[in-house]
Amino acid sequence: MSSPRTLIAAIALAAATAVVSPLTAQSVRPNTDSLLDRIRVLDSAVIVRGRSVDSIRRSLVRPVPPIAVRRGALEVRTVAAVESRVRVAVDSVAGLIERRGGPELAARVALHAPMVLPDSSRAMFGMVRVLALVSDTARRSAPIARRPIPATATASQIADGLASMVEQFALQGVDSALAAWVMVGRVPLRAASATEAGNTYIELATTASAALRRCRDGDAPSCLDVLGIDSLPGTRLERWYAPDDYRALLGIVAPAREDSVAVTAWLKCRDDRDAAACVTAATALPNNRIPPPLSPAARVMFLHEVLTAGGPAAYGRLVNASGSVRTRLEHASREPLDTTVRRWRDRIERARPDRMRLQPGFVIASLGWTGAFLGLAVVRRRSWA
Amino acid sequence: MFGQTLYVQWKWNRDFLAFYTAVGFAAPLLILWIALPHLGLTSARELVSVGRVVGITSAVIAVVAGLTVAWHGYGIDDRVGHIYALSLPITRSRALGIRAGAAALILTLPALGVWVGASLAASQVDLPTTLHSYSGSLASRALLAAWLAHACMFALRYSAGRRAQLVLATLVICIGVLGFATEAVPSARGVIMRAGDFVISNPGPFGVLFGRWTLIDV
């Protein structure tokens, strides 16, 4: 097989290879180096970007605080510096959950692990130390989701923040009909403060609404109507406002700008106090634009009354029941809603803030300070000038 | 002695007192007369707002009256080298005590003006059943505020003497610095805010000035 011609060809190929191979090596080496350099550049870029990502991750996701304060269904993670205050606060809020929410709320609260940790907040000059209340360890918390309270907050202030959080947990995941009726995104486990109740009284006493006046006079269906629980027949305007109330109503809502007749009447009503124009403008308002006469604060007070009447299991009955809001509230309170409405109204009437009455302590304090200032001048023992 | 001092105080301040009493009397009437035609079909909320304007006006009148009586009395005395006070056969403390008592008495006049004016104004308004008028309470507050304002100015002028303006400027600067410190030194904000709250609320020294001032309320 190995003919002389084949042998010569093999020798020539070998010789050619021997001559060419150093050249080939020289041409491949620069290509490899550039690839290596490229890899090194990309690698360093990846390292730099990785550090940025880690930095962002560290700023967004903090390590879970080491101390777990647990009482009943409520577990709060915190740090040693505030542990004693958090313990007192957790005891208070856990009691609230047991008294007001029962096992249904406890189960919902157990799904969360709120945190109380030292943090800082930006001030005009520099930073200020605060305590941040974060609703959960499981979620990445944006700074806006944190509720800062002063770093020196007392246990009761921390309890107040935790209770607000629990009230929000209580409304998470409930059906939209109930959530929409409550409006404020929380179930009121705590009673309204004297100021809140007083503000509701002022609202009832000063809002121009025929339905509210009927409600204050003892008409339970009107109360249920303004609370958004049960509608009386007719449009919102007919149900809630009398012609005497139209001008006040038109102070907070205006007709559509396309309706030139209504807009003209609205201007005449507002500027000239023309009663006929007020009627024209008010009746031109679409039904869905008529605002309810009562604010959500009044609803929250009413819901608290329902939960109080129904006892610890009322919350469970409220969120698990089906049907209209009225049915569910009645199911939760285990009493006719007329009874609850009467109690709610009496409570608001009792909350009337007597702001202008001069209390004896107030007069004595004022006279005492006046005397103290006069004393500063009288006791001075130097010359007149 | 008290009667004589009262007469002297009255002579010094009667023009101012007549002015403040007249303004205190007229302000509630004027405000309601101006406001009511504009309110037309009055709503309770608007009446409360108008009552608040009357209340704040009364507070301003009372405070200015108290400050004026104290400032003016000392000014006259100082211009003549306190000769009148030095000529009296009593101690400085007693003379000042009598003068403060006399001033307190004459400062009841603007408060009386407020009471009569506010009562008349309130009687002309057909209030809804949910609202009440508080002319007596408003006048009492005006009296307390006038006395307090007078006492502050009295203390400043007779304690600091000719350095009163310097002391007053120092006080104003201190308050400004504290206000600035609430922003500049966040760690001190809590303490300053608590102190400020105490000063302007009952039973703090200026609780009467920063309380509720209104003629018509729920």
Side-chain angles (χ1 to χ4, degrees):
Chain A
M1 286 198 46
S2 58
S3 65
R5 189 179 293 173
T6 308
L7 186 63
I8 289 165
I11 290 167
L13 186 63
T17 307
V19 170
V20 169
S21 59
L23 291 172
T24 311
Q26 280 174 2
S27 68
V28 166
R29 190 170 293 133
N31 193 23
T32 308
D33 287 346
S34 69
L35 280 174
L36 198 58
D37 288 344
R38 180 82 181 134
I39 287 168
R40 281 179 184 148
V41 168
L42 290 173
D43 198 30
S44 62
V46 166
I47 288 168
V48 169
R49 288 185 186 187
R51 282 178 185 157
S52 302
V53 169
D54 286 347
S55 168
I56 293 167
R57 186 181 293 142
R58 273 197 302 275
S59 69
L60 291 176
V61 184
R62 294 187 174 188
V64 174
I67 297 172
V69 180
R70 187 179 187 94
R71 164 94 196 274
L74 182 63
E75 179 183 325
V76 177
R77 308 290 300 206
T78 188
V79 294
V82 286
E83 184 189 350
S84 57
R85 282 181 281 166
V86 171
R87 276 194 190 283
V88 177
V90 167
D91 282 352
S92 157
V93 177
L96 181 74
I97 295 168
E98 284 166 20
R99 285 195 312 275
R100 291 285 174 184
E104 179 68 32
L105 179 60
R108 283 172 188 255
V109 172
L111 298 174
H112 303 267
M115 296 191 289
V116 180
L117 47 148
D119 203 346
S120 57
S121 174
R122 192 173 293 281
M124 187 181 283
F125 301 98
M127 306 294 284
V128 59
R129 286 172 57 234
V130 294
L131 285 180
L133 272 68
V134 187
S135 62
D136 216 326
T137 58
R139 290 179 194 158
R140 179 177 288 182
S141 75
I144 200 168
R146 297 169 183 219
R147 298 175 197 184
I149 55 175
T152 53
T154 60
S156 82
Q157 285 175 299
I158 297 173
D160 201 41
L162 286 174
S164 299
M165 221 173 255
V166 167
E167 288 180 336
Q168 289 184 0
F169 296 158
L171 204 64
Q172 281 175 8
V174 304
D175 60 283
S176 58
L178 182 61
W181 178 75
V182 176
M183 287 172 85
V184 292
R186 69 182 182 92
V187 172
L189 302 175
R190 296 165 295 171
S193 67
T195 309
E196 289 168 338
N199 288 340
T200 306
Y201 176 87
I202 292 168
E203 193 182 344
L204 244 71
T206 60
T207 304
S209 161
L212 273 185
R213 289 192 290 275
R214 286 196 301 270
C215 173
R216 287 198 71 198
D217 290 342
D219 183 21
S222 291
C223 292
L224 292 173
D225 191 16
V226 292
L227 283 166
I229 296 170
D230 216 0
S231 291
L232 293 171
T235 64
R236 287 178 167 196
L237 189 69
E238 293 162 357
R239 281 154 43 204
W240 294 341
Y241 300 100
D244 285 352
D245 308 322
Y246 286 173
R247 199 173 66 76
L249 168 69
L250 291 164
I252 51 175
V253 64
R257 66 175 72 170
E258 296 79 23
D259 190 346
S260 58
V261 175
V263 170
T264 309
W266 176 67
L267 290 171
K268 276 184 77 176
C269 171
R270 199 187 59 178
D271 299 336
D272 304 338
R273 275 76 188 170
D274 183 339
C278 291
V279 173
T280 308
T283 49
L285 291 170
N287 193 45
N288 59 2
R289 292 202 62 195
I290 306 289
L294 269 187
S295 71
R299 291 186 184 195
V300 167
M301 271 191 78
F302 183 76
L303 183 55
H304 182 265
E305 209 62 54
V306 166
L307 295 176
T308 306
Y315 169 76
R317 290 196 297 273
L318 177 71
V319 295
N320 292 326
S322 56
S324 67
V325 171
R326 182 190 177 117
T327 312
R328 296 170 73 171
L329 290 172
E330 260 177 347
H331 191 57
S333 65
R334 289 201 162 151
E335 65 180 14
L337 275 192
D338 289 1
T339 311
T340 320
V341 158
R342 199 179 312 123
R343 220 175 26 251
W344 165 79
R345 202 175 48 221
D346 292 345
R347 193 179 295 278
I348 291 175
E349 293 293 335
R350 281 197 305 273
R352 175 184 164 225
D354 205 357
R355 298 181 287 189
M356 278 302 286
R357 182 193 286 181
L358 282 174
Q359 306 288 348
F362 178 80
V363 176
I364 290 167
S366 180
L367 290 177
W369 284 109
T370 302
F373 284 125
L374 288 176
L376 278 178
V378 171
V379 299
R380 186 169 171 262
R381 289 186 176 277
R382 45 177 295 191
S383 68
W384 282 87
Chain B
M1 182 62 67
F2 181 78
Q4 188 62 32
T5 309
L6 180 63
Y7 176 68
V8 171
Q9 288 266 57
W10 167 251
K11 271 211 313 187
W12 287 349
N13 294 293
R14 59 189 171 195
D15 296 343
F16 291 115
L17 285 169
F19 173 73
Y20 291 126
T21 306
V23 173
F25 169 79
L29 292 163
L30 284 175
I31 291 170
L32 282 180
W33 282 343
I34 292 166
L36 280 183
H38 287 284
L39 293 179
L41 308 164
T42 50
S43 78
R45 199 165 286 176
E46 287 166 331
L47 284 171
V48 170
S49 304
V50 173
R52 188 127 175 83
V53 174
V54 173
I56 291 169
T57 309
S58 305
V60 171
I61 291 166
V63 169
V64 176
L67 293 176
T68 308
V69 167
W71 184 274
H72 190 60
Y74 180 88
I76 292 174
D77 224 9
D78 190 44
R79 273 201 295 278
V80 294
H82 299 278
I83 288 171
Y84 178 73
L86 288 166
S87 68
L88 296 174
I90 51 174
T91 61
R92 177 181 183 276
S93 304
R94 183 136 187 263
L96 287 185
I98 290 172
R99 188 166 285 180
L105 198 58
I106 60 175
L107 280 172
T108 53
L109 288 175
L112 271 175
V114 168
W115 179 57
V116 175
S119 299
L120 276 175
S123 68
Q124 298 189 1
V125 183
D126 188 15
L127 288 179
T129 54
T130 54
L131 298 185
H132 305 88
S133 69
Y134 293 94
S135 49
S137 181
L138 184 65
S140 305
R141 279 170 193 266
L143 183 59
L144 291 174
W147 283 348
L148 182 68
H150 172 266
C152 290
M153 186 53 74
F154 193 81
L156 179 72
R157 300 250 36 194
Y158 283 99
S159 291
R162 287 172 185 152
R163 294 182 298 278
Q165 289 179 345
L166 180 70
V167 173
L168 190 61
T170 309
L171 280 174
V172 170
I173 290 169
C174 283
I175 292 167
V177 167
L178 285 174
F180 181 73
T182 56
E183 295 297 335
V185 189
S187 56
R189 182 187 296 170
V191 178
I192 296 170
M193 297 296 276
R194 275 199 295 277
D197 278 348
F198 170 73
V199 167
I200 64 168
S201 61
N202 187 37
F206 300 109
V208 67
L209 301 182
F210 292 89
R212 179 122 183 124
W213 286 86
T214 184
L215 173 60
I216 299 167
D217 202 5
V218 292

